Amino acid sequence: GQNIFADSLKMSSQTANANSKNFKPSDIYSSETFSSSYLLQVMAIGASASGGDSASIIIGLTDGVNTMTLQKGTTVTASGPLTYIPSTPLYINESNYLAITNTASVDSVVTVYCAIVARGGA
């Protein structure tokens, strides 16, 4: 892995309900002007459903056309949340980013924990 900027650790959450949510640097660091040029390392991904609901979460890496599945469909509940920790460094940028899908028609809060590896894409 690459060294991360310690002050850049950040969690970003979105709610998926029978749809897919994208996590790009410009989404995660939306208040930073040049975030679309960042290279990020994904540290962990979590998802849960509320109450007695069950969600079905698929974690993928996409370029907007092609998608590679990183974690096949996993049932997620309030008492059985999903925790995905990459076994090798997982990097994303504005061109290759996370697409996390909930195939069930229930709310599932998906949280991505990441850090900036490079500002300016270098």
Side-chain angles (χ1 to χ4, degrees):
Q2 191 117 342
N3 290 331
I4 61 171
F5 294 103
D7 66 340
S8 72
L9 293 170
K10 186 163 185 175
M11 289 191 213
S12 176
S13 295
Q14 296 185 50
T15 300
N17 184 326
N19 61 7
S20 184
K21 296 296 181 177
N22 294 329
F23 290 86
K24 298 179 178 183
S26 61
D27 299 323
I28 298 166
Y29 295 90
S30 59
S31 65
E32 298 186 26
T33 306
F34 300 105
S35 60
S36 63
S37 65
Y38 292 176
L39 176 66
L40 306 183
Q41 181 175 347
V42 177
M43 311 300 277
I45 300 168
S48 65
S50 60
D53 291 337
S54 292
S56 181
I57 301 296
I58 302 167
I59 300 172
L61 189 62
T62 186
D63 63 4
V65 176
N66 303 298
T67 300
M68 176 179 20
T69 301
L70 300 175
Q71 172 81 32
K72 65 182 183 174
T74 302
T75 300
V76 175
T77 63
S79 61
L82 167 76
T83 301
Y84 176 83
I85 300 173
S87 56
T88 58
L90 174 60
Y91 300 105
I92 61 172
N93 61 19
E94 205 69 13
S95 300
N96 295 280
Y97 49 91
L98 291 172
I100 302 177
T101 304
N102 176 11
T103 60
S105 294
V106 299
D107 285 348
S108 178
V109 176
V110 178
T111 303
V112 174
Y113 179 54
C114 60
I116 299 170
V117 174
R119 289 180 167 98

